[in-house]
Amino acid sequence: RGLIARARRSRSLDDDGAAVLFAQLESLGAVPDTERLEATLLVRAGELLHSLDESRSVGAERLLRRALVRLDRLPGMGLWRARAEVALAMTLRDAGRPDEALPYALRGVETLDAERFEMDARRTRSTWGKHQNAAFDCAIDLAHRCGRTDIAADLIIFSRAAGVVTESMKRLV
C-alpha cells in the first residue's frame, strides 16, 4: 500500500519507479492469503499508472486484466471488479480502442448500479457516486464513439434515473 501512496504523491512514474511497482506487485502473488490485497492493489496500480502517464497504457492494461482474473475468483468483490472494468475501459479508450473498451464500460456500469442497492452506509453510497459518475461518463462517451447512439441514449436515461449527470451527457445534449 505504501508503494502506491508514494507513487501517487510523486505525480509521475519514471521507468525505474514503474519497474519497482511491477516487481512489488509480482511478489504478492507468492504470498499466501493475500489474494484480496493483491487484487485491490492491482486495480489501484492500474488506475494510477493510467492517470499518471498515458504512454504506459500497456502496463496499466496488463495490471487491470490481471486484477480482473484475480477478482473472478473472489466473492464479495463486485465494486472492485466494476472499478477494474471501468479503469480498463478508460485505458483502452485512451489507447484508441473504443470498440474493445465498450463492453468493459457497460459491465462496470451495470455492476456499480447493482451494488448501489446493497449499500446501507451513507459514506459508502457517497464513494459509489464518485465511481458511478466516471463510469457513466466513460460508457456514454464510448457508445457515442462506437456509433451506438441507441446505447448512449439508454445510458443517458438510465444515468438520470440514478441521479448521475456526466460530462459526456453535457457534451451530447
Side-chain angles (χ1 to χ4, degrees):
R1 289 181 190 172
L3 182 65
I4 302 247
R6 283 193 307 274
R8 180 171 283 127
R9 279 193 305 270
S10 76
R11 296 305 225 189
S12 67
L13 211 54
D14 61 12
D15 289 337
D16 291 337
V20 169
L21 180 63
F22 286 126
Q24 290 292 322
L25 289 168
E26 289 290 333
S27 71
L28 278 177
V31 179
D33 299 324
T34 60
E35 293 87 5
R36 288 180 190 280
L37 175 62
E38 179 187 10
T40 58
L41 286 175
L42 286 167
V43 173
R44 296 171 102 194
E47 290 172 333
L48 175 67
L49 202 56
H50 174 254
S51 71
L52 292 179
D53 190 354
E54 286 187 24
S55 69
R56 298 189 188 280
S57 64
V58 172
E61 179 182 349
R62 186 175 128 217
L63 291 173
L64 292 165
R65 287 187 187 277
R66 279 183 54 204
L68 288 171
V69 168
R70 301 295 190 281
L71 291 165
D72 277 344
R73 298 178 299 181
L74 297 171
M77 299 290 283
L79 285 174
W80 281 100
R81 178 160 184 72
R83 189 170 162 176
E85 287 172 332
V86 171
L88 181 56
M90 290 176 180
T91 301
L92 294 170
R93 175 194 63 191
D94 294 346
R97 296 158 51 197
D99 290 323
E100 195 177 336
L102 182 58
Y104 289 105
L106 294 176
R107 280 193 301 269
V109 164
E110 182 180 19
T111 302
L112 282 170
D113 191 64
E115 290 289 328
R116 171 174 59 131
F117 297 103
E118 302 296 321
M119 298 175 189
D120 54 355
R122 184 177 190 180
R123 182 170 181 255
T124 307
R125 286 191 303 274
S126 172
T127 301
W128 168 89
K130 293 174 193 171
H131 292 293
Q132 189 74 347
N133 288 351
F136 269 110
D137 188 50
C138 178
I140 292 168
D141 179 52
L142 284 167
H144 190 301
R145 286 184 191 200
C146 293
R148 296 298 311 266
T149 55
D150 56 329
I151 293 174
D154 286 345
L155 286 167
I156 290 170
I157 292 166
F158 187 65
S159 66
R160 289 251 169 116
V164 176
V165 178
T166 69
E167 293 301 314
S168 289
M169 196 181 319
K170 293 174 189 172
R171 287 191 306 266
L172 295 175
V173 176

